[in-house]
């Protein structure tokens, strides 16, 4: 998985979904090559096509592993690709920038395949209020590139549309990075996109997990975007959803979310989140 700070959490949720799809077996392993504030133009020189330091130290070693097939899931962005960070595609008539963006995506996917990727599935940025409509319009460049029918490259999910509909509730207090609810939405859409590409049916339980997350949003941001302090009761309720045997405790084996989140709630580090720990976190 290659991306930036908006992709720190959903790959672990995608791994959980893939393991469940394969009956609890680790058939596909999701490995992360992410770095904050690093869209395509920070992974490679968009003018020369040369890889930059994050590519050579984080991404290339994973691509050079010849022990198994490698599919790159790219949650990417064209920020900085047109010059300044805020420069981008104005609208559907901005053919010059749309074409340049498509060329940048082509150079990026070509470099991935040259370095060992067997296939690439690429999607663009989630909703980003401060840089709209340019961020949403990045999808126009991806569509133009896919129309050229690139070999072994596939369009990933449109995560801009679902995240734009649940802003700011699915975002952290900074209103930029997805919270656990937003990450669950991203994970579902990636999971569904991958199965669709492989012409497989998408099991209904994945959408159910997403709907559960949306029904129990974290309390870090209210509907009008004002941040709140603490995790809140909504987060505690979401953690309780992992209690498979309904004994009021969540073990590491039951917990399906990111490991850092489990550690944050497991105050005494005994490998179990109990009701007292959930109550104290909700205050």
């Amino acid at each position: 998985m290659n991306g930036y700070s908006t992709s720190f959490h959903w790959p672990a949720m995608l791994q959980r979904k893939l393991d469940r799809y394969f009956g609890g077996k680790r058939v596909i392993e999701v490995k992360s090559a992410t770095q904050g504030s690093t869209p395509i133009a920070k992974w490679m020189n968009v003018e020369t096509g040369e890889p930059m330091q994050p590519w050579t130290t984080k991404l290339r070693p994973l691509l050079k592993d010849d022990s198994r097939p490698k599919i790159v899931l790219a949650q990417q962005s064209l920020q900085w690709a047109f010059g300044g960070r805020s420069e981008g595609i104005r609208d559907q008539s901005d053919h010059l920038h749309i074409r340049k963006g498509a060329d940048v995506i082509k150079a990026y996917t070509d470099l991935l395949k040259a370095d060992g990727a067997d296939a690439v599935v690429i999607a663009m940025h989630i909703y980003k209020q401060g840089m709209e409509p340019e961020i949403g319009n990045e999808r126009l460049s991806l569509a133009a590139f896919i129309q050229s029918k690139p070999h072994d490259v596939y369009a990933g999910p449109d995560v801009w549309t679902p995240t734009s509909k649940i802003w700011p509730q699915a975002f952290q207090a900074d209103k930029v990075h997805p919270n656990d609810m937003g990450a669950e939405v991203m994970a579902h859409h990636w999971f569904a996109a991958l199965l669709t590409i492989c012409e497989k049916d998408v099991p209904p339980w994945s959408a159910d997990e997403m709907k559960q997350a949306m029904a129990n949003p974290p309390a870090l941001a209210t509907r009008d975007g004002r941040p709140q302090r603490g995790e809140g009761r909504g987060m505690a309720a979401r953690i309780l959803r992992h209690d498979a045997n309904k004994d009021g405790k969540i073990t590491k084996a039951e917990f399906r979310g990111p490991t850092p989140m489990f550690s944050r709630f497991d105050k005494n580090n005994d490998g179990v989140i109990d009701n007292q720990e959930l109550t104290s976190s909700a205050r």
Side-chain angles (χ1 to χ4, degrees):
M1 193 280 131
N2 182 232
Y4 39 95
S5 55
T6 57
S7 296
F8 283 163
H9 301 301
W10 68 261
M13 298 176 179
L14 175 64
Q15 180 74 76
R16 182 195 77 217
K17 290 176 180 290
L18 290 169
D19 290 349
R20 180 175 177 179
Y21 182 80
F22 289 106
K25 297 180 180 179
R26 182 59 54 87
V27 176
I28 298 173
E29 184 176 8
V30 182
K31 294 187 176 182
S32 179
T34 58
Q35 182 162 306
S37 303
T38 313
I40 291 176
K42 301 297 182 178
W43 288 97
M44 58 170 281
N45 187 309
V46 297
E47 302 299 333
T48 67
E50 290 297 313
M52 299 171 76
Q53 187 267 339
W55 188 295
T56 57
T57 58
K58 284 195 170 186
L59 183 54
R60 179 168 283 167
L62 295 177
L63 292 172
K64 293 302 182 182
D65 179 7
D66 294 327
S67 63
R68 65 189 70 185
K70 299 171 293 295
I71 301 172
V72 175
L73 309 182
Q75 183 75 61
Q76 273 298 351
S77 175
L78 294 172
Q79 294 173 76
W80 302 106
F82 307 105
R85 185 184 185 188
S86 61
E87 295 183 38
I89 302 168
R90 297 185 303 274
D91 51 44
Q92 292 183 337
S93 65
D94 191 359
H95 302 297
L96 181 64
H97 277 162
I98 291 173
R99 184 69 261 163
K100 181 171 183 179
D103 290 342
V104 168
I105 295 172
K106 180 181 185 303
Y108 168 72
T109 56
D110 283 349
L111 187 57
L112 287 171
K113 291 189 291 182
D115 256 5
D118 295 289
V120 180
V121 185
I122 180 169
M124 305 312 292
H125 206 286
I126 63 174
Y127 178 76
K128 194 170 187 178
Q129 191 212 29
M131 295 183 65
E132 297 295 348
E134 289 80 6
I135 291 297
N137 287 336
E138 291 183 351
R139 296 170 298 154
L140 299 175
S141 285
L142 177 59
F145 169 62
I146 293 297
Q147 283 181 353
S148 67
K149 300 186 184 302
H151 188 59
D152 292 328
V153 180
Y154 306 88
D158 167 19
V159 290
W160 184 90
T161 298
T163 55
S164 69
K165 293 178 179 179
I166 51 178
W167 185 92
Q169 196 67 19
F171 290 74
Q172 296 176 22
D174 63 8
K175 306 179 189 178
V176 175
H177 297 90
N179 55 25
D180 292 322
M181 171 182 161
E184 188 73 53
V185 171
M186 295 173 72
H188 165 70
H189 284 282
W190 267 101
F191 179 65
L194 293 176
L195 289 178
T196 301
I197 290 171
C198 297
E199 300 182 342
K200 304 292 185 182
D201 293 333
V202 181
W205 52 256
S206 181
D208 290 341
E209 289 178 344
M210 178 180 68
K211 292 174 182 176
Q212 285 182 341
M214 294 173 68
N216 296 279
L220 284 179
T222 61
R223 292 194 180 279
D224 61 2
R226 291 180 292 110
Q228 296 181 357
R229 301 184 67 179
E231 297 288 358
R233 296 182 183 275
M235 177 63 80
R238 291 189 62 216
I239 295 296
L240 278 172
R241 296 204 319 268
H242 297 268
D243 181 12
N245 61 4
K246 306 303 179 184
D247 65 349
K249 299 179 181 179
I250 301 95
T251 65
K252 284 186 176 180
E254 290 176 309
F255 190 70
R256 303 185 304 275
T259 300
M261 182 187 294
F262 185 93
S263 300
R264 189 163 74 243
F265 280 87
D266 182 16
K267 306 294 185 182
N268 58 6
N269 297 314
D270 66 347
V272 176
I273 301 173
D274 58 30
N275 186 62
Q276 182 177 353
E277 289 168 319
L278 284 174
T279 302
S280 63
S281 294
R283 291 172 182 167

